[in-house]
């Protein structure tokens, strides 16, 4: 149909005409959208959050390992103290070490117990 030199299109023709315009090779390149940079920012935030989660889980793992090690060391220390408490020491030996080395009663007793009550070994260890 034609009116005054202008082609009149039917409704179906208009759709075809639009499709050809949008899919043609002369289609202008898409302009970058204003809010596309937000996706990159969101990606960075997500990466940061994931990295933080990984670091915190590594920290929790490390802390539990350290906690386990400390509890084992504490338990071993308590066992050692129990063993040392069983060692019998002579009062004279204790007093000899205290006076000769000029140390406290607790330090002298500890040294004697560590050397199974042997006054000579305790004195040698204290002098070295």
């Amino acid at each position: 149909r034609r009116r005054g030199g202008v082609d009149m299109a039917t409704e179906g023709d208009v759709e075809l005409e639009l499709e050809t315009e949008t899919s043609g090779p002369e289609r202008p390149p898409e302009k970058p959208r204003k809010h596309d940079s937000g996706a990159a920012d969101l990606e960075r935030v997500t990466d940061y959050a994931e990295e933080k989660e990984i670091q915190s889980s590594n920290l929790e793992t490390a802390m539990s390992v350290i906690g386990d090690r400390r509890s084992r060391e504490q338990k071993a220390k308590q066992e050692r103290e129990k063993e040392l408490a069983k060692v019998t020491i002579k009062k004279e030996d204790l007093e000899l070490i205290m006076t000769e080395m000029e140390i406290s009663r607790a330090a002298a007793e500890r040294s004697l117990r560590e050397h199974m009550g042997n006054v000579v070994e305790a004195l040698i260890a204290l002098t070295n």
Side-chain angles (χ1 to χ4, degrees):
R1 299 179 187 170
R2 210 175 169 119
R3 274 195 197 158
V6 177
D7 282 338
M8 295 298 294
T10 61
E11 197 173 320
D13 290 341
V14 172
E15 286 178 23
L16 281 174
E17 204 171 290
L18 286 176
E19 284 177 18
T20 353
E21 281 180 20
T22 56
S23 64
E26 295 177 21
R27 182 177 177 190
E30 267 190 45
K31 294 179 184 176
R33 295 184 190 134
K34 282 184 180 179
H35 302 292
D36 277 353
S37 65
D41 291 340
L42 180 62
E43 186 67 28
R44 273 188 245 120
V45 169
T46 306
D47 289 346
Y48 178 76
E50 288 171 354
E51 191 174 305
K52 279 295 200 190
E53 285 177 16
I54 290 170
Q55 288 176 351
S56 69
S57 70
N58 288 346
L59 179 64
E60 288 171 10
T61 304
M63 291 301 286
S64 73
V65 167
I66 290 170
D68 291 347
R69 183 179 298 150
R70 282 187 180 161
S71 65
R72 282 196 307 270
E73 289 172 358
Q74 189 69 25
K75 194 172 184 178
K77 197 179 217 180
Q78 288 172 350
E79 291 295 320
R80 175 81 173 136
E81 292 300 321
K82 285 180 186 177
E83 291 298 316
L84 290 177
K86 292 178 186 176
V87 175
T88 55
I89 56 174
K90 295 179 185 171
K91 187 176 181 179
E92 308 86 50
D93 293 343
L94 182 62
E95 289 173 3
L96 172 72
I97 291 176
M98 285 171 48
T99 55
E100 290 299 317
M101 300 304 294
E102 298 178 357
I103 57 175
S104 68
R105 179 178 213 78
E109 187 175 334
R110 174 79 181 189
S111 181
L112 260 176
R113 289 188 187 282
E114 285 175 348
H115 295 92
M116 307 307 267
N118 186 330
V119 71
V120 175
E121 286 180 17
L123 281 169
I124 291 171
L126 287 168
T127 57
N128 289 336

